[in-house]
Amino acid sequence: MVELDAKTIEIVKSTIPALAGTGSKLTQHFYARMLGNNPELKNVFNEANQRSNAQSEALFGAVCAYAQNIDNLAPLLPAVEKIAQKHCSLNIKPEQYSIVGENLLATIDELLAPPKEVIDAWAAAYGVLADIFIQREKEIYDQSASVEGGWRGLREFKITEIVPQSNVISSFKLEPVDAKPVAKYEPGQYLSIHIEHPSLKNQCIRQYSLTTEPNGQYYRIAVKREELGSVSSLLHNTFKVGDTINVYPPHGDFFFNSTKDLDTNTPVTLISGGVGQTPMLSMLHGLKENGHQGKVTWLHSARDAQSLAFEKEVVETGSTLPGFSSHTFLTKPSPSSGCPFATKIHEGIMDIQKVLANQLKDTNVHYYFCGPVPFMQAVAKQLTENGVAVSNIHYEVFGPHRVI
């Protein structure tokens, strides 16, 4: 890898105030420019994230973080891994980095009109970062293709089962058309679904969490019907058992054994809101498969009893683990709210202190959570305010990553 000289580092770091001053205007301009010049990339980027500016905000944060840490990239490595995994789930190719670099440099030039030495410094800096991603992504691609049941690129699967799990979530069982084994995955990882349909302006790629333990024969994902979700609406309303769908291999950096401190006796708490329970469910199955001996606690928040999904499966899987307990919070309960399974029902928003007062004092517990961003921000706040170390907190954001 080419190392940047001191002068280049100094110039890049000196541009931080100017970059910060643009807010996300810089990355909004970048995406509009790049997708205008290279419309084929609309087949890669999620249009909903473009509309909400979530993608541009995530990129802006990444650009600023890179500039701030350009002389010491070690703090960025976790973010690099997360982004590289997502890139591989989209089948990003090395040559696409040239397109990104060209448009990023042109955007800086068009918005900030800096001296040529600034553009040259950013060109060198971007080249180093691109090489890091290209190298790591090659490793991920090679690994995905080399494991038993693995592959590179798209593979055709048949939908063999669709099960409504709640009034908004359905699970889809996918079996390979070639009837060959499928690659194992880490509990908490996701599968990328590639959709082409006459109702869509562009091909779409969406990631959905895997929801069972690896079995080598099939995958199961869960999809929430989103009001404005073009792909989720197709899956719920149009696709049926027997239809085929193209799939990329499993990816993702969020899984329950992602820290060296987590062994079979480590207490684990899985926390979720809404469809954020899907990676948690896979983790719960993984804990069962690994014969986990530590205490496992399941906390879930849903709107009402009708939107609860996988409750029976959670309780049955948890019952095989020693010391398992589960709590469900219903934010808008009805008089008939309840659960026929062995879980404790609470009304209102999730109050971790209320149900885990004693556990929060145990410094060995690891917490994994997923759900809507405001929900996760509230969870993180409750945990840190109760003294939980940041190193024991792990989370996944659906969509572009952001720091909670």
Side-chain angles (χ1 to χ4, degrees), residues 166-232:
S166 76
N167 61 352
V168 290
I169 296 173
S170 290
S171 60
F172 294 74
K173 183 178 178 182
L174 308 175
E175 298 186 25
V177 170
D178 61 20
K180 295 180 180 179
V182 298
K184 292 184 178 180
Y185 55 89
E186 298 288 354
Q189 290 189 305
Y190 51 78
L191 206 62
S192 280
I193 305 300
H194 179 278
I195 300 287
E196 293 187 61
H197 192 269
S199 65
L200 300 173
K201 291 187 296 183
N202 304 288
Q203 71 178 29
C204 292
I205 304 172
R206 295 291 186 270
Q207 289 81 27
Y208 296 106
S209 297
L210 292 149
T211 57
T212 61
E213 72 280 0
N215 56 64
Q217 299 176 348
Y218 66 86
Y219 295 125
R220 187 184 71 171
I221 60 171
V223 181
K224 178 186 176 185
R225 182 191 294 107
E226 299 287 356
E227 184 177 347
L228 299 177
S230 55
V231 174
S232 70

Side-chain angles (χ1 to χ4, degrees), residues 42-63:
K42 292 180 181 179
N43 291 324
V44 175
F45 291 98
N46 186 323
E47 188 177 1
N49 291 334
Q50 297 296 315
R51 288 197 303 266
S52 68
N53 291 328
Q55 190 75 55
S56 60
E57 289 174 4
L59 178 60
F60 179 73
V63 169

Side-chain angles (χ1 to χ4, degrees), residues 148-166:
E148 182 180 1
W151 73 97
R152 170 75 190 269
L154 292 174
R155 184 175 175 185
E156 192 175 22
F157 281 71
K158 180 184 291 187
I159 300 173
T160 58
E161 184 178 76
I162 301 175
V163 179
Q165 300 290 348
S166 76

Side-chain angles (χ1 to χ4, degrees), residues 268-285:
V268 176
T269 295
L270 306 175
I271 306 173
S272 57
V275 74
Q277 74 179 148
T278 52
M280 302 296 106
L281 182 59
S282 180
M283 291 182 182
L284 185 65
H285 280 289

Side-chain angles (χ1 to χ4, degrees), residues 310-316 326 338-345:
F310 299 107
E311 281 296 288
K312 181 180 180 181
E313 186 173 327
V314 167
V315 172
E316 288 180 349
S326 64
C339 179
F341 311 111
T343 186
K344 296 178 182 177
I345 298 293

Side-chain angles (χ1 to χ4, degrees), residues 138-391:
K138 182 182 184 303
E139 293 172 350
I140 296 171
Y141 285 133
D142 289 346
Q143 181 180 14
S144 294
S146 65
V147 298
E148 182 180 1
W151 73 97
R152 170 75 190 269
L154 292 174
R155 184 175 175 185
E156 192 175 22
F157 281 71
K158 180 184 291 187
I159 300 173
T160 58
E161 184 178 76
I162 301 175
V163 179
Q165 300 290 348
S166 76
N167 61 352
V168 290
I169 296 173
S170 290
S171 60
F172 294 74
K173 183 178 178 182
L174 308 175
E175 298 186 25
V177 170
D178 61 20
K180 295 180 180 179
V182 298
K184 292 184 178 180
Y185 55 89
E186 298 288 354
Q189 290 189 305
Y190 51 78
L191 206 62
S192 280
I193 305 300
H194 179 278
I195 300 287
E196 293 187 61
H197 192 269
S199 65
L200 300 173
K201 291 187 296 183
N202 304 288
Q203 71 178 29
C204 292
I205 304 172
R206 295 291 186 270
Q207 289 81 27
Y208 296 106
S209 297
L210 292 149
T211 57
T212 61
E213 72 280 0
N215 56 64
Q217 299 176 348
Y218 66 86
Y219 295 125
R220 187 184 71 171
I221 60 171
V223 181
K224 178 186 176 185
R225 182 191 294 107
E226 299 287 356
E227 184 177 347
L228 299 177
S230 55
V231 174
S232 70
S233 295
L234 275 174
L235 288 169
H236 276 269
N237 302 329
T238 303
F239 280 81
K240 59 187 183 299
V241 171
D243 288 344
T244 59
I245 196 167
N246 288 316
V247 175
Y248 288 115
H251 291 99
D253 72 322
F254 177 65
F255 35 87
F256 71 78
N257 58 351
S258 60
T259 71
K260 64 181 180 181
D261 300 320
L262 189 60
D263 60 31
T264 188
N265 295 308
T266 301
V268 176
T269 295
L270 306 175
I271 306 173
S272 57
V275 74
Q277 74 179 148
T278 52
M280 302 296 106
L281 182 59
S282 180
M283 291 182 182
L284 185 65
H285 280 289
L287 290 166
K288 171 190 171 183
E289 289 302 302
N290 289 345
H292 197 75
Q293 296 301 304
K295 178 179 173 61
V296 176
T297 306
W298 174 276
L299 304 182
H300 180 61
S301 176
R303 176 182 174 84
D304 50 37
Q306 290 69 43
S307 60
L308 283 174
F310 299 107
E311 281 296 288
K312 181 180 180 181
E313 186 173 327
V314 167
V315 172
E316 288 180 349
T317 304
S319 68
T320 66
L321 296 164
F324 175 79
S325 62
S326 64
H327 300 264
T328 299
F329 290 79
L330 301 179
T331 57
K332 294 192 179 294
S334 65
S336 60
S337 288
C339 179
F341 311 111
T343 186
K344 296 178 182 177
I345 298 293
H346 308 270
E347 294 186 0
I349 63 173
M350 184 176 291
D351 185 344
I352 295 176
Q353 171 68 31
K354 176 180 178 180
V355 296
L356 300 182
N358 293 327
Q359 177 181 299
L360 288 167
K361 300 173 185 177
D362 186 346
T363 59
N364 295 316
V365 182
H366 278 254
Y367 298 84
Y368 294 79
F369 55 95
C370 185
V373 169
F375 168 82
M376 291 197 293
Q377 289 171 331
V379 168
K381 186 173 186 290
Q382 290 184 61
L383 293 176
T384 54
E385 286 183 347
N386 279 280
V388 176
V390 173
S391 59

Side-chain angles (χ1 to χ4, degrees), residues 1 62 66 73 76 80 97 124-134:
M1 185 178 70
Y66 179 49
L73 296 180
L76 299 182
V80 167
Y97 279 93
Y126 175 79
V128 169
L129 185 62
D131 285 344
I132 291 172
F133 277 110
I134 290 170

